[in-house]
């Protein structure tokens, strides 16, 4: 979508839709009054007739019939208390209110850096649709392709930067969604790695792709154990964005299970049908590093994704098997459906030893238990670092994503003790998201580290607010905000 700043007045702007926020039908803004006069002064009657009460998200769409330059006026109920939330609501409503209309002009209740960024991001993510596999007439024609932010000075360098940030983040979110939505027969470890390499090389970012041979040579036996049942090779991809003068290095690690059947401990069909989403952590990781590079953030950002399928082939790993991790610890396999932590264990250890970053953040659709605890619109956040948890929470607020800090409860650590090996990879019946995090913790050593279990919000059966059905791109926007906060510090 093309999004532009415009200093044209609401009545004069040339767009299919003029989209205006309204907090209350009785106390109206100057803009609403102006539009009412131009349309003939009967808005109050129309709304009464229609039952439009300007409740947040409620929409009233009227034809302008040549009385103003735009073809339609769309009034959108907004809270009226938070300019950023209003901008998001307005933008989202604009993408949903367009049927055959291609362009929209948004009248923001307040023009500033944050509202412009929020509007741009919400416009570009709100217009998202996954249409790759629809053919012929069944392919949707696509909604809005052009938007204007009215009253935003196109010459303001601050607003231009905010617009760009919104667009870049939205692009990264939408790319993550595309990757998650892609069917697992087409998006498998090999093709996923190719796409990541291609996108990284477009930006000139150094990229390394590892296959089975390299993983074997390094000794990443936990990662390889998961891959044993699959007919497709695993891939580990490392992309580095290292701007000159960066004083901090953050490494993002992503779980990239392009399909999780559960392996020999096979999932029931109802739990398996969405398991193409099990690479959403890796997809977010891809989006984050590309966005950081496009925004030229002054922080070094590394992205490492571990990609494989978890299948049931003749060579599949079994409950009872023991493998030696890259770290040297032996791990007894309990349930082959707890595969993500095995892949991550080796990738985390590799990241710690090879890159020695100041901070490691992993994104993973790791446990169903996390969804039991927090529902499917919120991710779990684990870290021992209170300051980091606080800073990430602030970033999430700005990005309009929801996390909840969970405890790395040492009380549960003994559930990972094995009678024959150093560790087992699954704990007891309770606290499944916590014990998964405790397992990962064994492989990060003394590194500063945060684990984000995004099993809930990464993929949705139906849309919820601004989150679409299918892949959501969850995690990207918060991570970018967090990196920006480091840059400002
Ligand atoms: N990929 C799943 C977790 C998951 C579930 C993600 C639902 C998204 C939606 C993970 O690999 C898994 O199967 N975890 C098991 C662990 C258990 C066997 C200890 C689970 O949560 O049931
Ligand atoms: Mn699994
Ligand atoms: Zn999984």
């Amino acid at each position: 979508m093309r999004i532009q700043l415009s200093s044209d007045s609401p009545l004069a702007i040339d767009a299919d839709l003029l989209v205006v926020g309204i907090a209350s039908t009785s106390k109206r803004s100057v803009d609403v009054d102006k539009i009412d006069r131009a349309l003939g002064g009967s808005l109050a009657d129309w709304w009464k007739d229609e039952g439009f009460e300007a409740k947040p998200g409620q929409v009233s769409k009227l034809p302008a019939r040549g009385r103003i330059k735009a073809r339609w006026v769309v009034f959108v109920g907004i809270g009226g208390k938070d300019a950023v939330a209003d901008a998001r609501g307005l933008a989202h409503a604009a993408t949903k209110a367009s049927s055959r209309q291609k362009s929209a002009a948004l009248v923001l209740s307040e023009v500033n850096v944050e509202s412009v960024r929020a509007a741009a991001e919400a416009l570009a993510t709100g217009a998202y649709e996954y249409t790759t596999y629809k053919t012929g007439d069944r392919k949707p024609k696509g909604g809005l392709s052009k938007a204007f932010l009215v009253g935003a000075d196109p010459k303001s360098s601050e607003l231009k930067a905010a617009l760009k940030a919104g667009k870049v983040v939205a692009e990264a979110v939408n790319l993550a969604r595309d990757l998650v939505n892609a069917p697992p027969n087409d998006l498998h470890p090999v093709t996923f790695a190719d796409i990541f390499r291609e996108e990284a090389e477009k930006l000139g970012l150094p990229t390394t792709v590892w296959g089975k041979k390299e993983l074997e040579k390094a000794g990443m036996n936990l990662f390889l154990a998961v891959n044993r049942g699959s007919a497709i090779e695993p891939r580990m991809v490392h992309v580095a964005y290292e701007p000159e003068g960066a004083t901090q290095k953050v490494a993002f690690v992503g779980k990239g299970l392009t399909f999780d059947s559960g392996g020999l401990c096979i999932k029931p069909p109802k739990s398996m049908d969405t398991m193409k989403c099990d690479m959403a952590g890796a997809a977010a990781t891809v989006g984050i590093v590309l966005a950081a590079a496009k925004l030229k953030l002054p922080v070094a950002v590394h992205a490492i994704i571990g990609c494989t399928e978890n299948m049931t082939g003749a060579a599949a790993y079994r409950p009872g098997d023991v493998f030696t991790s890259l770290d040297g610890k032996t791990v007894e396999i309990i349930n082959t459906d707890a595969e993500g932590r095995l892949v991550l264990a080796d990738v985390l250890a590799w990241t710690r030893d090879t890159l020695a970053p100041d901070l490691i953040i992993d994104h993973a659709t790791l446990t169903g238990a996390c969804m039991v605890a927090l529902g499917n619109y919120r991710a779990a956040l684990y870290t021992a670092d209170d300051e980091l948890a606080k800073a990430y929470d602030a970033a999430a607020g700005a990005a309009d994503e929801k996390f909840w800090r969970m405890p790395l409860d040492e009380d549960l650590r003994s559930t990972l003790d094995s009678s024959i090996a150093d560790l087992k990879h699954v704990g007891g019946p309770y606290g499944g998201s916590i014990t998964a995090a405790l397992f990962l913790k064994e492989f990060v050593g003394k590194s500063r580290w945060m684990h984000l279990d995004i099993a809930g919000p990464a993929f949705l059966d139906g849309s919820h607010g601004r989150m679409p059905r299918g892949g959501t791109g969850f995690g990207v926007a918060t991570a970018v905000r967090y990196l920006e906060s480091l840059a400002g510090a």
Side-chain angles (χ1 to χ4, degrees):
M1 185 186 310
R2 275 183 304 153
I3 307 171
Q4 290 169 18
L5 307 177
S6 167
S7 41
D8 288 347
S9 87
L11 300 184
I13 193 152
D14 185 7
D16 296 330
L17 303 172
L18 180 67
V19 188
V20 191
I22 172 164
S24 141
T25 48
S26 48
K27 273 186 268 154
R28 311 188 313 191
S29 68
V30 180
D31 283 322
V32 172
D33 280 339
K34 259 196 234 164
I35 293 164
D36 192 7
R37 274 197 299 277
L39 293 180
S42 45
L43 273 185
D45 294 338
W46 275 111
W47 287 342
K48 217 177 190 172
D49 216 27
E50 200 190 1
F52 177 76
E53 295 167 27
K55 287 194 191 126
Q58 209 184 1
V59 165
S60 169
K61 183 173 172 180
L62 306 162
R65 303 192 192 286
R67 300 196 226 207
I68 63 173
K69 186 91 181 174
R71 256 77 56 210
W72 296 82
V73 185
V74 179
F75 293 99
V76 181
I78 53 172
K81 293 201 175 79
D82 173 353
V84 172
D86 291 348
R88 276 196 194 105
L90 208 58
H92 188 73
T95 62
K96 302 300 165 209
S98 74
S99 39
R100 299 178 59 180
Q101 296 83 25
K102 292 284 158 209
S103 62
L106 271 58
V107 183
L108 302 178
S109 44
E110 199 184 311
V111 172
N112 59 44
V113 165
E114 287 300 331
S115 66
V116 163
R117 175 169 173 168
E121 195 181 313
L123 277 165
T125 54
Y128 177 82
E129 243 186 312
Y130 188 66
T131 61
T132 309
Y133 288 83
K134 300 271 190 190
T135 65
D137 289 343
R138 290 167 292 262
K139 206 176 190 72
K141 299 275 182 298
L144 287 184
S145 58
K146 194 171 176 189
F148 303 96
L149 303 180
V150 177
D153 181 1
K155 288 200 260 340
S156 157
S157 53
E158 269 188 335
L159 294 183
K160 277 196 284 191
L163 175 63
K164 176 166 181 198
K167 282 187 197 172
V168 166
V169 170
E171 236 174 69
V173 168
N174 289 342
L175 171 63
R177 290 173 176 179
D178 275 344
L179 290 167
V180 172
N181 288 329
N185 57 328
D186 282 348
L187 191 107
H188 51 69
V190 175
T191 51
F192 191 3
D194 286 345
I195 293 171
F196 191 14
R197 188 212 305 260
E198 215 171 280
E199 292 297 320
E201 285 180 351
K202 271 191 221 163
L203 299 173
L205 305 177
T207 305
T208 316
V209 180
W210 283 18
K212 199 170 185 167
K213 234 183 25 212
E214 289 86 359
L215 296 175
E216 277 169 354
K217 221 163 120 194
M220 299 176 86
N221 299 314
L222 298 184
F223 188 162
L224 288 162
V226 175
N227 179 250
R228 290 175 59 99
S230 169
I232 304 173
E233 272 223 15
R235 289 286 185 266
M236 183 170 88
V237 188
H238 169 216
V239 169
Y241 163 64
E242 295 194 287
E244 230 172 278
T247 55
Q248 294 183 76
K249 187 200 280 192
V250 183
F252 288 88
V253 166
K255 171 179 173 182
L257 267 286
T258 60
F259 188 71
D260 179 12
S261 73
L264 291 179
C265 305
I266 196 162
K267 287 181 186 292
K270 269 201 185 336
S271 308
M272 204 192 292
D273 63 1
T274 57
M275 276 303 129
K276 67 175 182 182
C277 83
D278 213 16
M279 36 58 73
T285 301
V286 167
I288 291 161
V289 72
L290 298 177
K294 284 184 192 163
L295 293 173
K296 299 192 168 64
L297 300 182
V299 185
V301 178
H302 289 248
I304 311 95
I305 61 172
C307 303
T308 175
E309 295 182 311
N310 185 24
M311 301 294 272
T312 58
Y317 77 137
R318 323 158 183 82
D321 283 352
V322 174
F323 297 97
T324 305
S325 70
L326 175 65
D327 190 62
K329 290 197 266 288
T330 55
V331 176
E332 181 189 4
I333 302 306
I334 302 298
N335 184 323
T336 62
D337 198 10
E339 82 300 332
R341 63 194 75 183
L342 297 171
V343 172
L344 287 175
D346 275 346
V347 177
L348 286 168
W350 183 88
T351 300
R352 172 198 70 192
D353 294 342
T354 315
L355 305 175
D358 300 300
L359 169 62
I360 304 177
I361 300 177
D362 74 75
H363 288 83
T365 47
L366 204 59
T367 64
C370 187
M371 304 166 73
V372 173
L374 298 178
N376 51 344
Y377 305 123
R378 191 183 285 274
L381 180 158
Y382 292 90
T383 181
D385 187 323
D386 295 345
E387 230 169 275
L388 172 58
K390 229 186 193 170
Y392 221 75
D393 190 53
D400 197 25
E401 292 186 323
K402 291 177 178 171
F403 292 82
W404 197 257
R405 190 177 181 188
M406 298 269 281
L408 286 159
D409 248 327
E410 284 304 324
D411 293 327
L412 293 170
R413 170 59 186 78
S414 61
T415 64
L416 299 174
D417 289 341
S418 161
S419 54
I420 68 154
D422 295 336
L423 276 173
K424 36 182 207 163
H425 75 138
V426 173
Y430 308 122
S433 174
I434 300 172
T435 51
L438 289 174
F439 181 81
L440 297 181
K441 183 169 173 257
E442 295 293 318
F443 298 89
V444 292
K446 292 197 168 22
S447 302
R448 247 174 106 228
W449 162 71
M450 180 163 63
H451 160 57
L452 304 171
D453 192 337
I454 60 169
F459 190 92
L460 299 180
D461 289 336
S463 66
H464 176 75
R466 295 196 306 108
M467 291 163 104
R469 170 167 43 81
T472 59
F474 187 94
V476 173
T478 299
V480 172
R481 284 281 183 175
Y482 175 71
L483 291 169
E484 288 175 318
S485 76
L486 289 182

